[in-house]
Amino acid sequence: MEDEVDRLVAAWRRERPDLDVEPLEVLSRVSRLARHLDRARRLAFSEHQLEPWEFDVLTSLRRAGAPYQLSPGQLLTQTLVTSGTMTNRIDRLAKKGLVERLPDPSDRRGVLVRLTPEGRDRADQALAGLLAQERAILAQLSHAQRGELADLLRQLTAPFDNIPG
């Protein structure tokens, strides 16, 4: 089975035989797959009236377990955005009734962000929709192939995920 990357690589090998274009065979496919995944994510989230960033914040809180709350600093760590961006996101989610701010009992000046029941339902439904989309994308691979692919991708991404700072 030939794909667009095979045609792209063949063209570069014809036009630039002096270059080793082998990395394109893997990374161009990863890049194209990322675009397809982004579309699938947006579709799954839009069905539940969520933006991707809203899903990220809500699911960070959901994964925290009951009572589904984190400090803004913990949310920053999980979502990799700036403090100002996080404040804006919390404000917008609170306005929609998906999160609430509570005083932090361990820090009189601090706050905790807690998922509301509606926020929890939305996060759960959007996650189920996303997983259905992702299962469809992976359907052509066997269970063993999915495991092998996950292991190989982990080898590539782990060094980036473990960079200090």
Side-chain angles (χ1 to χ4, degrees), residues 1-162:
M1 176 183 347
E2 186 178 72
D3 68 1
E4 186 60 29
V5 174
D6 289 321
R7 291 183 282 279
L8 178 142
V9 167
W12 279 122
R13 284 190 171 133
R14 182 187 67 244
E15 294 299 316
R16 291 295 310 268
D18 57 310
L19 294 177
D20 175 12
V21 295
E22 182 184 28
L24 295 176
E25 294 186 71
V26 173
L27 299 177
S28 288
R29 285 186 175 95
V30 169
S31 178
R32 292 176 67 79
L33 180 59
R35 282 184 245 144
H36 291 293
L37 290 172
D38 186 55
R39 283 189 202 132
R41 285 174 58 93
R42 289 183 182 281
L43 176 62
F45 303 154
S46 71
E47 289 174 357
H48 302 284
Q49 295 81 46
L50 292 175
E51 293 292 327
W53 66 265
E54 292 173 312
F55 177 83
D56 290 344
V57 174
L58 296 177
T59 55
S60 292
L61 293 165
R62 180 66 171 97
R63 287 190 312 268
Y68 312 111
Q69 65 188 27
L70 295 170
S71 70
Q74 290 170 310
L75 284 169
L76 287 175
T77 300
Q78 291 194 23
T79 59
L80 301 175
V81 298
T82 66
S83 176
T85 297
M86 182 53 65
T87 298
N88 181 274
R89 289 180 176 186
I90 293 167
D91 289 345
R92 291 170 68 184
L93 289 168
K95 194 176 221 177
K96 287 182 160 188
L98 301 176
V99 302
E100 60 185 345
R101 284 188 173 91
L102 302 169
D104 185 342
S106 64
D107 178 359
R108 290 189 318 176
R109 293 179 294 152
V111 298
L112 294 172
V113 180
R114 181 183 291 168
L115 202 54
T116 65
E118 182 183 350
R120 180 179 170 187
D121 288 346
R122 284 272 211 59
D124 286 349
Q125 292 169 10
L127 177 62
L130 173 63
L131 292 172
Q133 293 279 339
E134 291 181 347
R135 267 196 259 348
I137 288 170
L138 294 171
Q140 294 188 34
L141 300 178
S142 70
H143 180 73
Q145 288 172 319
R146 289 191 302 269
E148 183 180 355
L149 181 58
D151 290 341
L152 292 169
L153 291 170
R154 185 180 303 107
Q155 287 179 42
L156 287 176
T157 59
F160 295 103
D161 290 343
N162 295 311

